[in-house]
Amino acid sequence: MTERLSQIRYEDLAANVRPLADDILKVSSAALGGPYNALLRSPDMARRAFDFLDYLRFRTSVNKRLNEFAILIQARISNAQFEWWAHERIARKAGLSDAVMRDLQQCQRPTSMQADERLVYDYCVQLSLNHRVPDALWQEAVAAMGEQAVVDLTVLSGTYVMVSMLLNATQVGIPDGGEAPLQVMDPQEIRQRLLA
């Protein structure tokens, strides 16, 4: 898979775009790579996306472990290689177990989830694959997490659909030619396996 966009270099950015690049470089594990390489081609949108992602990643009301789990769920659903690569280590550092990540990576419902992880899994999978959440699941999520966290989790899931699409459309590879972490699967197979 050949990346479709050449890597933007900091020194080639317009002076008015460099402050955004500086902000990105403070938090990005991929420097100006990953989704930022594409986003920076539309600087006004990139600023708005960066600020939005900054909230969803670092200021959200959702626990970091659960937040990263939700991002990995979306990466698996979308076959988003770079997304998985970038967030697996962050999720591990936040306390998500390797066993849960391995099952999800294999496109299986994780068998060793904690109760809050099970709730996030069910919520995000239903939302992403059915575009709806059953009443009972909504009520359980609100009771356990509160309305703000459920809204934040919902927006996070949708936003990482966008990020995954951007990465897949531009064919962002794993840095240094690393191995792709996900087996690419047909969307129907993913749906069938994750909803099982």
Side-chain angles (χ1 to χ4, degrees):
M1 179 169 65
T2 303
E3 294 199 25
R4 291 180 167 155
L5 297 173
S6 60
Q7 180 59 54
I8 284 183
R9 298 178 337 143
Y10 183 88
E11 52 273 14
D12 295 336
L13 293 171
N16 66 329
V17 180
R18 287 185 180 180
L20 170 58
D22 292 336
D23 288 345
I24 291 168
L25 290 168
K26 291 174 190 171
V27 299
S28 173
S29 59
L32 299 180
Y36 300 113
N37 188 44
L39 288 170
L40 283 166
R41 280 150 164 91
S42 180
D44 288 343
M45 194 243 328
R47 170 46 76 187
R48 288 165 174 81
F50 176 79
D51 291 341
F52 194 47
L53 289 166
D54 180 67
Y55 173 79
L56 291 172
R57 292 254 341 270
F58 304 113
R59 303 172 202 289
T60 180
S61 62
V62 179
N63 163 308
K64 179 87 169 160
R65 172 178 48 88
L66 299 177
N67 213 50
E68 291 299 324
F69 187 33
I71 293 169
L72 290 179
I73 290 167
Q74 194 54 58
R76 176 61 273 181
I77 289 171
S78 301
N79 290 308
Q81 304 290 356
F82 183 90
E83 197 64 50
W84 184 280
W85 173 86
H87 285 272
E88 179 180 18
R89 60 187 162 193
I90 299 169
R92 183 176 293 112
K93 196 172 184 180
L96 190 63
S97 76
D98 283 339
V100 167
M101 287 189 284
R102 286 300 75 78
D103 284 351
L104 181 60
Q105 185 179 31
Q106 299 299 318
C107 205
Q108 298 171 0
R109 180 186 179 87
T111 58
S112 61
M113 291 183 284
Q114 298 176 40
D116 57 356
E117 293 166 354
R118 192 246 350 127
L119 180 58
V120 166
Y121 177 89
D122 289 344
Y123 188 90
C124 292
V125 167
Q126 285 293 325
L127 182 64
S128 295
L129 297 177
N130 291 328
H131 307 288
R132 299 201 183 300
V133 177
D135 285 341
L137 182 55
W138 170 265
Q139 292 164 0
E140 181 185 4
V142 168
M145 300 173 69
E147 288 180 344
Q148 180 181 352
V150 174
V151 169
D152 283 358
L153 180 64
T154 301
V155 173
L156 175 84
S157 292
T159 301
Y160 275 86
V161 170
M162 178 272 295
V163 172
S164 294
M165 285 182 171
L166 184 62
L167 291 165
N168 287 346
T170 59
Q171 297 186 168
V172 174
I174 305 304
D176 301 321
E179 186 176 330
L182 301 173
Q183 176 188 355
V184 174
M185 297 180 168
D186 178 79
Q188 291 304 320
E189 182 179 359
I190 292 170
R191 176 184 178 77
Q192 186 176 45
R193 291 174 70 161
L194 292 183
L195 286 171

